[in-house]
Amino acid sequence: MTRWTSAVGAAQLARQLHAQQPRPAGPGTRKPPAYRALADGVRLLVLEGRVPVAARLPAERELALALSVSRTTVAAAYEALRAEGFLESRRGAGSWTAVPAGNPLPARGLEPLPPDALGSMIDLGCAALPAPEPWLTRAVQGALEELPPYAHTHGDYPAGLPALRQTLADRYTARGIPTMPEQIMVTTGAMGAIDAICHLFAGRGERVAVESPSYANILQLMREAGARLVPVAMAEGLAGWDLPRWRQVLRDAAPRLAYVVADFHNPTGALATEDQRRQLVEAARSAGTVLVVDETMSELCLDGDRPGAELPPPVCAFDPAGSTVLTVGSASKAFWAGMRIGWVRAAPEVIRSLVSARAYADLGTPVLEQLAINWLMGGGGWEQAVDVRRAQGRQNRDALVAAVRRELPSWEFDVPRGGLTLWVRTGGLSGSRIAEVGERVGVRVPGGPRFGVDGAFEGYVRLPFTVGGPVAEEAAVRLAAAARLVESGARAGTDAPRTFVA
């Protein structure tokens, strides 16, 4: 049985290797042998997640032709990668990428920092902002006024309150996607929505295609559900999806589900173009793959007032019936994470199946919170509250960007137009070690491997726009201190932070 879940073509791998920027050699440094440079290039692509783990590499002869080098050079590079644990091979099955034992792996998702630790620790672990006031208080008060009629019922609404389902359907219709309440199921946050979808569509052992990198908590949810994750590398910077790779994975791996974040992707901040959305829906439909689209960041466009800042249509606009695209939304990012209200938009028959299956997990979402969100969206100030979130996110983003550029000039990133996260390449240092040492110097930040599959993205960290002003400046100062400790190899406690050698 083969161990690889996707494949990288010779021409594609050659383009990625040629696009790498080699580090300048110091005085007296000798140029490495050709096989060593090739092995290092492939290893870097794997560690940065641009070539997925468990991806089958081209045969030696094919790659040699694509790179215009001898087959001996490729064979020696593959042998070096096997010796270092970055390649596995089996006669008749080929060679596929791996991560050596002992490398930090993404063991769990992101857990909130306990409130009692907030005084001494700057928490950059979770991409969530404090509640917007006075809208939260007003929403709860409005919900309490509307509660009495519901209090005379059993309180279980597996598909969600009819009033909120209608409100959510109306909002999709206003965005140009005609939607009926029967196409909406209200859930306990976006996580509850995706958990329900995974249990209905992707049984244990089913393949699920995911962006690489992707949202850490969703990856962990899918792992625990028994899914076989098939990573599809994102394009460089903020370019979004690599459609040739998506078509190849959907065709070759035939995943039951695919999970994507098209609007201000978490963690990279990329915004998929209209053409990318259309092509991905077409590719998923052709492959028979159900496309789960996470819209939790869609309302957080931070530069919407700039010329040319119009957002592309929602992904479900290219599948209006909801037979291929299941859209997941949430109030958690746009309003407040403590308001655990999410929803699914899909075809009515899909919603009926989700509701039936839900009875064995939970019987519905809290009524009071549904009433609060419905009150807000029905004219109680949703748009004003979201405008405040956008302004806060923009200020925090600009402060954090300036502070990181000043304190850590070797770190590289692209500034996204929206969302809540900055995806940062850490100048050749281990993101896992920076996360480890950061907690000891008073800043909590997740390392890149949490957002990858099987150890990818070791050279990255994710920085959310959750702090601003002097706190953002102090966070950057503490991150710089952690980076210096990692770079110098200084011991903290009993562990010796190691540098990530690219």
Side-chain angles (χ1 to χ4, degrees):
M1 181 177 179
T2 60
R3 295 279 302 277
W4 52 272
T5 57
S6 61
V8 180
Q12 175 187 339
L13 183 57
R15 284 195 302 271
Q16 290 178 276
L17 290 166
H18 286 314
Q20 288 180 337
Q21 296 297 320
R23 293 186 175 187
T29 302
R30 301 177 65 181
K31 185 177 179 180
Y35 85 89
R36 183 69 263 172
L38 175 56
D40 288 347
V42 172
R43 178 164 54 90
L44 178 59
L45 290 173
V46 172
L47 286 169
E48 290 192 342
R50 287 180 282 156
V51 168
V53 175
R56 184 167 64 86
L57 295 186
E60 294 171 1
R61 188 186 304 277
E62 294 175 1
L63 186 57
L65 288 172
L67 292 173
S68 298
V69 299
S70 71
R71 183 177 176 181
T72 302
T73 297
V74 177
Y78 278 16
E79 182 57 37
L81 289 167
R82 276 190 289 269
E84 295 163 5
F86 286 92
L87 198 68
E88 295 181 15
S89 303
R90 181 175 295 128
R91 185 179 297 277
S95 299
W96 56 92
T97 56
V99 170
N103 262 47
L105 296 179
R108 298 205 57 80
L110 302 179
E111 299 173 354
L113 188 70
D116 56 5
L118 291 174
S120 59
M121 182 77 68
I122 298 177
D123 186 11
L124 298 180
C126 296
L129 294 166
E133 289 289 17
W135 293 279
L136 175 61
T137 298
R138 290 175 181 173
V140 174
Q141 291 172 342
L144 286 171
E145 293 174 2
E146 297 177 2
L147 182 61
Y150 296 94
H152 294 292
T153 74
H154 51 61
D156 291 333
Y157 295 87
L161 292 184
L164 181 55
R165 296 177 76 193
Q166 181 68 63
T167 296
L168 292 169
D170 290 345
R171 288 176 65 84
Y172 279 105
T173 300
R175 295 168 68 188
I177 304 102
T179 303
M180 304 178 295
E182 291 80 8
Q183 290 178 263
I184 301 292
M185 180 178 83
V186 181
T187 62
T188 307
M191 293 286 289
I194 294 171
D195 182 61
I197 291 169
C198 286
H199 279 88
L200 180 63
F201 285 95
R204 185 165 294 275
E206 290 275 7
R207 287 176 173 157
V208 178
V210 295
E211 296 151 325
S212 183
S214 187
Y215 179 37
N217 285 338
I218 294 298
L219 294 180
Q220 186 62 24
L221 182 156
M222 291 177 174
R223 290 187 190 100
E224 294 185 356
R228 296 173 60 193
L229 300 183
V230 182
V232 186
M234 298 283 287
E236 284 294 296
L238 298 177
W241 299 329
D242 186 328
L243 265 301
R245 290 185 182 180
W246 270 105
R247 280 191 288 267
Q248 181 183 16
V249 167
L250 293 177
R251 181 183 65 247
D252 296 347
R256 184 70 181 93
L257 284 181
Y259 169 77
V260 298
V261 184
D263 299 285
F264 310 118
H265 175 259
N266 185 356
T268 69
L271 178 67
T273 67
E274 179 174 348
D275 190 52
Q276 287 175 328
R277 295 165 192 243
R278 179 184 294 106
Q279 288 190 51
L280 186 58
V281 173
E282 292 172 355
R285 184 182 293 118
S286 297
T289 297
V290 176
L291 187 61
V292 182
V293 179
D294 188 333
E295 283 193 336
T296 54
M297 295 283 190
S298 63
E299 297 201 55
L300 293 176
C301 180
L302 307 184
D303 296 330
D305 54 347
R306 296 183 182 178
E310 296 80 9
L311 296 180
V315 178
C316 59
F318 305 102
D319 179 49
S323 57
T324 296
V325 176
L326 308 186
T327 302
V328 172
S330 172
S332 296
K333 301 299 184 185
F335 188 71
W336 184 43
M339 192 68 76
R340 305 303 304 160
I341 298 295
W343 54 87
V344 181
R345 181 202 178 274
E349 59 270 21
V350 173
I351 294 297
R352 287 194 293 270
S353 297
L354 286 170
V355 171
S356 296
R358 183 181 192 179
Y360 302 100
D362 66 359
L363 294 176
T365 303
V367 169
L368 189 63
E369 294 181 21
Q370 292 188 72
L371 288 172
I373 293 299
N374 190 59
W375 186 90
L376 279 167
M377 290 182 171
W382 175 269
E383 296 302 332
Q384 296 94 317
V386 174
D387 281 342
V388 169
R389 304 302 257 176
R390 295 187 187 111
Q392 186 178 11
R394 182 165 52 249
Q395 292 170 0
N396 288 355
R397 178 197 63 185
D398 295 347
L400 188 64
V401 164
V404 172
R405 282 177 172 165
R406 182 180 62 251
E407 299 293 335
L408 293 149
S410 66
W411 287 19
E412 303 172 38
F413 53 86
D414 293 296
V415 181
R417 290 173 45 197
L420 288 172
T421 57
L422 201 64
W423 186 236
V424 182
R425 187 180 298 186
T426 53
L429 300 178
S430 161
S432 297
R433 298 299 169 183
I434 289 172
E436 175 190 353
V437 177
E439 295 223 16
R440 299 173 183 173
V441 299
V443 60
R444 185 172 185 258
V445 57
R450 288 185 181 271
F451 304 89
V453 176
D454 293 335
F457 304 108
E458 186 54 53
Y460 288 80
V461 294
R462 189 195 72 171
L463 305 180
F465 317 142
T466 52
V467 296
V471 180
E473 295 177 5
E474 178 61 24
V477 169
R478 296 183 187 186
L479 281 172
R484 286 193 296 271
L485 286 172
V486 172
E487 191 166 20
S488 66
R491 291 184 177 273
T494 59
D495 297 327
R498 300 190 298 270
T499 56
F500 159 64
V501 182

